[in-house]
Amino acid sequence: MYEWNWYGTVSQESAQAIRRKYGLEEKTILDRMKEHWIGYLFIIPTFVMFTLLFYFPIARGVFLTFTNTRLGGSGEFVGLENYTWMVTNDLFQFAFGWTLVFVFGTTFLQLAIGLLAALLLSEVVRGRREWLSAIIMSPYFSAPLAGGVIWMWFLNSDFGMLPRLWVDLFNSPAPSFLASGVWPYVSLIVAQSWHDYGYAGIIYAAAIVGIPREQYEAAALAGASRLRRFRDVTLPHLVTPTIIILALRTAWNVAEFAQPFELTGGGPGTKTMLLSIFTYQTAYVNLNFGRAYTIGLAMVAVSMTAAIFYVTVIQEEEELYV
Amino acid sequence: MLNETRRTKTVLYVGLALFALWALIPYIWVLRTSLLTNFAAISSDTGYIPALESLSLVGYEQIWDRYNFTTYFANSLIVSIAATLISLLFSIPGAYAFARLDFPGRKFLFYTAVFTIMFPWIVITIPVYEVFFFLGLINTLDGVTIAISIFVLPQTIWLLQGFFRQGIPENIEEAALIDGHTEIGAFLRIVLPLSAPAVGAAALFSFLTAWNNFLWVFVLTSDEEVRTATVAIHYILGSDVLRQWNALMAAVVLLVAPPVIFYGLSQRYVGEGLGGV
Amino acid sequence: MPPAGNHQDGGPEQAETAEAGETSRRTFLKATTAATSAGALGALTGCLDSLSGGGGGGGSETTTVSFLSAQAAENADIQSHFQDSMKTFEEKNENVKVDLQTASYGDIKSKLSSTVSSGNPPAFAESGSGGLQYFFNDKIPDHSKYIEETDGMPDDFTSANQEAAKFRGEYWSAGAMRHTNSNLGIRPKLFSQVGVQNPMEELSTWSGFLDAIQKIDQQTDAIAYEETGVYNDLESYWGYARTAYTGGTDPWLRGDPKDPTVVVANENHDDQGKTDGMIKTCVKLADQFSSPEAASRGDEEIPSLMVTGKVASFTYATPTANRWRAAKDDVKIGWNGGNGDYMLLPNPKVDPEFGSNFGISELEGVEGDHGGHVWSLEQQQTIFKTDEKTQSAAWDLNMFLLSDEEFVLPAWGEYYEAIPGLNPMMDKVLNEYDLAQSTTQAFKNLDQYGDQYASTGAAWDVKPTDQIRWTDINETISQAIAGQHNMEETPQLVRQRIQKTLKNQNN
C-alpha cells in the first residue's frame, strides 16, 4: 500500500511516529479493523451511493466502449474498434493536443490569479474584506453556461464591449476575438480562467486565514521581510490546497463543456475543438455512443495522469518545508 | 499585515480595484443589454452608458411573465439547500475517515472515490438515468436532490479530507493522544473547529454546484413542475429568444444573480470561518 | 450551514464524563450518521415500492400520453398555444390526458436518449432524425398501419413529409407538424443603394446576385453576404446546392440506398461538376463576401445584424417573421420601395454565365432552377412502442397537431410562421392570416418550384444520414470556410468522409 506516493502519507507517517513513540506500533490488520471500525460506518453511506451513481455507471460506460452502440440500441461487441477509430481520427488527435494546451493554460492561470486574489484580500481589514471578496470571487458563482453567454456577448464583434472599446481607443478595426488567428484560443483560455479562478481563490483564502498569526509575528520580530514571511510562513501552508486545486481544476477543465460550447462550439470550423465538445458531437450529432464514451475515457486518462503527476512531484517538494 | 506603509496600501488597493474590474466588466455589458429595449440593445447609437429613454425592463418582463419562474426558483432553492445538507452529512464523516482513520482498505476506497472526480459526467448520463428510473425517482425533486448531493460528494470529500489532515499541527495531535483521546475525539475537539473555514467552503461549493447544476436536472426531469431555474433558463437560451438580445441577457442576469447574491450575503452570516474569505 | 456550528464546541466522546448538553450532541452525531446510512438505504428500498405503480399508460379508464416536444419550447407564444391546445385536445378526446414535456431543439436528442435507453420513452415525441435510429433498434413501431387508417394520408403529407417519414418503404414516423424552408434574405435598403430596382428579377440568378453583392462590398461598409457557416447552420448551403439542378435532382447521393452512388467528387459521374461547383461556390462566397466569423456564424444572429444594417444578405431566410420583430418591433418586411429592412426571395438559380463570372469552372454552362432545403427530417414526430391503447391515443394527438384547425392555423399563421405539415392546411393558413412578405414568399417558393425544395437527406434512405449531413458534408465545408483546408480539395474530402461513413454504418 505504501508504494503509492499520494498526498497524505506524510501525516499518516507522523501519526505512526507518534504511535511508535508510545509503543503503539506493530498492529495486525485485524487490530486496525477493530480499532477503526467506525471508519467503515462513516464510509458505508458514501460507498453505497457511489456504487449506484458512479461505479456501476462507470463500469457500464467502459463496457460500452467495446461495443458499437448507437442511439437507442445496445450494440454488439466490437473489441478495440472504437479505440483504433479514435487514435487514427484526425480531429481527435487535434482535439487531444488542444485540450492539453487549454487545460494547462487555464489551470495555471486559475491557480495564479486565485492565489493573487487570496493574498490581496488577506491584507484587507475585516468588514471591508467581505464585500470585496464577494465582488472579486463572483465570476465563479455564475453557471458555466451563463459564463459562456456572458463572454460571447462581451467579445461579440458586432455588439460586444471589447471590440467597441478597441475601436474607440485604438481607432483601428478590432480583431475578431472568437474567429481570427490565435484569438479564439486566447479567448477560450481567458474566459475559462475568468470563470474559475474563484475556486482557487476561495480555497487559498481559507488556507491563509487558518495560518496562526503568531507565526507571522514571530517571523516579523526576527526581521523577516514581507517576501521572506510569504516564503517561510505562508507558502508551506499552501501546499495541500495547491494539490487539491491542481488535481480538481485539471480534471474539471478537461471535462468543461458548457462554457466553451456556448462560446465557440469548437469553431470556427473545428479550429477550437476540445475533447469534451467532440464527445458531445459524437454522441448527439453522429449518434455514436460507443465512440463517444471512448473519447470520454481519453479525457479520464488525461485527468488521471495529471493528478498522479502533481501528487508525486509536489509530494517531494513538500519534504523541503516540513 | 504588519507595519503597513502608505505605499504598500496604495499598491494593495490599486491591485484590488483592477481585480474587481476584471471580475465585473463582462457582467456589466450583460446588465446594460438586459436593461435596454430590443433595438437599442443592438444599435450602435446606444452609448456605453445608455440614454435614459432607451432604458426599459421589458426584457425582464418578457422572461418573467411568460415562464413559470416562481416555481423554478422555489425548486432551485429547495434542491440546493437539501443537497448541501445531505452532502455535508455524507462528506464530513467520510472525509474524516479517509483522512484520519487507519482502517484496512482505506486507501483503495479513497482512490476510487477520487477517481470519480476525474470522470466526465457526460459519459455516465444514460446509466445514471437507468438507476433513477429503477428507483422510481425520475421527474421528482427527491431524485434531483439525491443526484446532486451525491455528485458533489467527491469534491467535498476531497476538499475536506485535505483540510482535516492539515488541520492538526503535529504537536496538538500529540497532546490530544497523550490526553487519552481517541482519534474521533481529537477530530471533534481539534480538527473540526480548525477546519471550520473548509467546512464552510465545502458548504458554499455544494450549494452553488447544486444551484448551477444543469446536467442532472436536465437528464432526470422533464416536467415543468420540477424544473429548476438553471435548466429553465438553459431552454430559454436555446430557443427563439436567441434573436432578442435584451431578453436573452435578462435571462442570464436572472440565472447569475441569485448565487452571487447568496455568496455576498453568506459572508456576513456564515461566521468566522468563511467570513475570512 | 449547521454542521460547522454544531460540531464546533465540544466532542461527543467527552459525554461519558460530561453534562446533558454533551450527550445531546453525541446523539446528534449518532443520529446523523445513522440517518445518512439508513436514509440512503431506506430511500432505495422504499422507492422500489413505487415502481409497481409507474408503468406505461396504466389506469383503467384514462390513457395518458406523454408528449416530448421541442417546438413547444421555441418561443413563449407558441408555448402557451401548446398548453392551451393540449386542453382542447383532451376535451375532444375523452379519457385521454396529455402530459406535455419540453426540451429545446438543441437538447431533445440527449433528452430522448436517456429515457428511451432505459425503457421509459415518452408515448409520443418530436424525435427528429434520431427517431430513425430508434426505429432501427425496434423502439418505434411501423407507422404504416396508422397512416392507412386515415382518409387522406399519406397523400395529404407535404412532399417533404412523405420523403422524410418513409424509410426504404416503411413509415418510421408520423410526419412533422410544420416545416420551414431556406431562401435568400436581403436588406432592401442596401440593395437599392447599389441600384437594384426589381429584386425579383435582378436577383433571380446567381450572376445577378453576384453583381449586386460585389457592388455592396465595394460601396458600403456592410457585409455583402454572410454565410451561416457553423456546421449546424449550414443548411443554407444545402438549400442553394440544389439551385445548380432542375427537377429536384439530389446533389449528393443517389441510387440504391443500400449501396448509393456518391455524386460529390465522383469523376465518373456527369453531375460531379454541379455538386462540386456549388461546394466551391459556398467556400468562395464566404471567403470573398462574409465576415471573419462566417465559419462560426449561426442563423439566430442574422436578424439583429441585418436590421442594424451590418449584413446585406444571407441564405438561411425562413418564413418565421416573428424572429425579425423580436430584433426590432417595427421592422419593415418586404421591398417597401427599396426602403425595407428585410425581404425574402427565392434562392438565385445557377445561370450559364455564373461559372465564368465567379471563376468556378465546373459551373460554366450549367443552368439550374430556384430551390432550397426544407426542414422536415428534423421535426419528425414518432410514436414509441408502448401498449396498443396509448399508441393509438398518441396517433390521435398527432392527427390533432397536423389537421385540427384550432391548433394548426394560429400556430403556423400567428405564433410561429411556418409551413404546415399537411398540404390542405397551407391555403387555409394563407387565407386566414395577413402574413408578412417573408412568410407568403416562402410559402410561394415551396409551391412554385415544387421538387426543387426538398429535405436534405430524406430521400437517401441510408442509415447514417445525420452523420453524412452534419459532419461529413457540413463540418468539412465549415472547416474550409475557416481556412482549415482549401476550396479545391474540399469536395474530395467530403467524398472520402461520406464513403467511410457509408462503409462503416450502412449495412
Side-chain angles (χ1 to χ4, degrees), chain C residues 29-218:
Chain C
L29 180 77
K30 269 189 172 169
T32 49
T33 318
T36 41
S37 39
L41 296 168
L44 304 189
T45 45
C47 294
L48 290 175
D49 301 345
S50 61
L51 255 185
S52 51
S60 52
E61 285 294 314
T62 324
T63 310
T64 303
V65 178
S66 49
F67 170 32
L68 178 63
S69 168
Q71 181 65 53
E74 266 290 79
N75 65 35
D77 288 342
I78 195 87
Q79 184 169 32
S80 56
H81 181 54
F82 261 85
Q83 281 158 354
D84 297 343
S85 299
M86 292 307 110
K87 287 184 199 113
T88 317
F89 174 76
E90 284 168 4
E91 280 160 24
K92 291 182 179 178
N93 294 267
E94 273 179 46
N95 300 330
V96 178
K97 236 184 85 37
V98 181
D99 173 17
L100 177 65
Q101 305 173 345
T102 54
S104 65
Y105 277 114
D107 300 316
I108 194 160
K109 266 188 200 161
S110 40
K111 177 92 244 173
L112 264 176
S113 67
S114 46
T115 57
V116 179
S117 305
S118 49
N120 184 33
F124 185 52
E126 206 178 336
S127 43
S129 47
L132 199 50
Q133 296 295 330
Y134 296 124
F135 183 67
F136 299 149
N137 288 311
D138 205 30
K139 311 279 195 218
I140 287 176
D142 185 355
H143 287 51
S144 308
K145 181 180 99 175
Y146 300 103
I147 290 175
E148 280 156 17
E149 279 170 13
T150 62
D151 294 334
M153 304 246 283
D155 299 344
D156 282 353
F157 267 149
T158 55
S159 54
N161 258 345
Q162 290 184 26
E163 257 187 353
K166 216 171 180 180
F167 184 85
R168 300 184 187 174
E170 285 185 303
Y171 281 93
W172 64 274
S173 88
M177 60 181 130
R178 61 91 173 167
H179 310 298
T180 40
N181 54 353
S182 71
N183 307 274
L184 173 63
I186 60 160
R187 179 166 171 84
K189 278 179 188 165
L190 283 161
F191 279 79
S192 64
Q193 205 179 316
V194 298
V196 173
Q197 285 169 339
N198 184 352
M200 272 305 201
E201 200 58 38
E202 293 165 54
L203 304 180
S204 74
T205 63
W206 277 101
S207 288
F209 179 66
L210 181 67
D211 186 47
I213 56 176
Q214 274 166 344
K215 285 182 189 151
I216 291 174
D217 191 42
Q218 285 154 11

Side-chain angles (χ1 to χ4, degrees), chain B residues 9-71:
Chain B
K9 221 167 184 170
T10 320
V11 171
L12 174 65
Y13 281 98
V14 168
L16 285 167
L18 284 176
F19 246 111
L21 191 70
W22 145 252
L24 291 183
I25 246 192
Y27 284 135
I28 290 170
W29 201 242
V30 167
L31 196 64
R32 168 189 173 276
T33 309
S34 74
L35 291 169
L36 293 166
T37 58
N38 55 358
F39 188 67
I42 51 174
S43 166
S44 50
D45 297 334
T46 316
Y48 289 98
I49 296 163
L52 246 127
E53 60 268 20
S54 53
L55 291 179
S56 149
L57 286 175
V58 73
Y60 291 89
E61 279 165 19
Q62 281 175 347
I63 294 294
W64 193 268
D65 289 353
R66 295 180 189 173
Y67 301 92
N68 196 6
F69 266 102
T70 328
T71 313

Side-chain angles (χ1 to χ4, degrees), chain A residues 71-72 157 176 270 281 286, chain C residues 137 139 293 471 475 479 484:
Chain A
L71 187 68
S157 285
S176 183
T270 50
Q281 234 190 54
N286 295 336
Chain C
N137 288 311
K139 311 279 195 218
E293 277 95 359
T471 305
E475 192 177 274
Q479 287 172 332
Q484 291 175 276

Side-chain angles (χ1 to χ4, degrees), chain B residues 160-180:
Chain B
L160 286 174
Q161 63 85 23
F163 276 92
F164 285 162
R165 277 173 204 215
Q166 221 191 24
I168 314 175
E170 242 175 276
N171 51 352
I172 300 185
E173 186 186 31
E174 216 169 303
L177 288 175
I178 294 169
D179 276 359

Side-chain angles (χ1 to χ4, degrees), chain B:
Chain B
M1 197 150 257
L2 306 163
N3 304 327
E4 306 251 30
T5 66
R6 180 159 292 183
R7 213 183 65 196
T8 54
K9 221 167 184 170
T10 320
V11 171
L12 174 65
Y13 281 98
V14 168
L16 285 167
L18 284 176
F19 246 111
L21 191 70
W22 145 252
L24 291 183
I25 246 192
Y27 284 135
I28 290 170
W29 201 242
V30 167
L31 196 64
R32 168 189 173 276
T33 309
S34 74
L35 291 169
L36 293 166
T37 58
N38 55 358
F39 188 67
I42 51 174
S43 166
S44 50
D45 297 334
T46 316
Y48 289 98
I49 296 163
L52 246 127
E53 60 268 20
S54 53
L55 291 179
S56 149
L57 286 175
V58 73
Y60 291 89
E61 279 165 19
Q62 281 175 347
I63 294 294
W64 193 268
D65 289 353
R66 295 180 189 173
Y67 301 92
N68 196 6
F69 266 102
T70 328
T71 313
Y72 303 152
F73 275 110
N75 288 340
S76 279
L77 211 58
I78 294 169
V79 167
S80 306
I81 292 174
T84 305
L85 294 179
I86 296 175
S87 78
L88 284 179
L89 287 181
F90 276 69
S91 60
I92 290 175
Y96 175 67
F98 281 137
R100 283 285 157 202
L101 300 177
D102 184 26
F103 58 92
R106 177 181 76 106
K107 287 210 159 184
F108 173 75
L109 287 174
F110 179 62
Y111 293 134
T112 45
V114 169
F115 172 68
T116 59
I117 304 177
M118 316 273 166
F119 219 83
W121 289 353
I122 190 166
V123 177
I124 56 173
T125 47
I126 290 176
V128 167
Y129 183 94
E130 286 169 351
V131 170
F132 278 82
F133 177 58
F134 176 75
L135 299 175
L137 290 171
I138 293 299
N139 253 333
T140 62
L141 279 183
D142 291 349
V144 173
T145 308
I146 291 177
I148 291 178
S149 45
I150 302 309
F151 282 105
V152 301
L153 264 191
Q155 63 153 323
T156 38
I157 288 184
W158 177 229
L159 179 69
L160 286 174
Q161 63 85 23
F163 276 92
F164 285 162
R165 277 173 204 215
Q166 221 191 24
I168 314 175
E170 242 175 276
N171 51 352
I172 300 185
E173 186 186 31
E174 216 169 303
L177 288 175
I178 294 169
D179 276 359
H181 287 299
T182 56
E183 275 156 320
I184 188 170
F187 165 70
L188 288 166
R189 285 186 67 83
I190 295 148
V191 183
L192 205 52
L194 284 173
S195 305
V199 172
L204 184 69
F205 285 132
S206 305
F207 182 88
L208 294 159
T209 310
W211 184 279
N212 287 337
N213 182 279
F214 164 71
L215 188 69
W216 298 115
V217 184
F218 168 73
V219 168
L220 298 175
T221 67
S222 45
D223 284 354
E224 297 202 358
E225 288 78 53
V226 290
R227 189 168 286 175
T228 61
T230 306
V231 171
I233 288 169
H234 175 84
Y235 283 144
I236 293 174
L237 296 179
S239 75
D240 248 18
V241 173
L242 262 182
R243 291 162 184 86
Q244 203 176 340
W245 291 109
N246 62 337
L248 182 72
M249 293 306 150
V252 171
V253 173
L254 287 177
L255 178 60
V256 168
V260 172
I261 292 170
F262 171 80
Y263 176 65
L265 292 178
S266 73
Q267 298 275 320
R268 283 176 59 192
Y269 297 108
V270 178
E272 257 306 292
L274 197 57
V277 175

Side-chain angles (χ1 to χ4, degrees), chain A residues 198-217:
Chain A
Y199 184 83
I202 290 167
I203 292 185
Y204 275 135
I208 291 171
V209 163
I211 301 172
R213 281 191 70 89
E214 305 82 55
Q215 294 187 14
Y216 283 107
E217 278 155 15

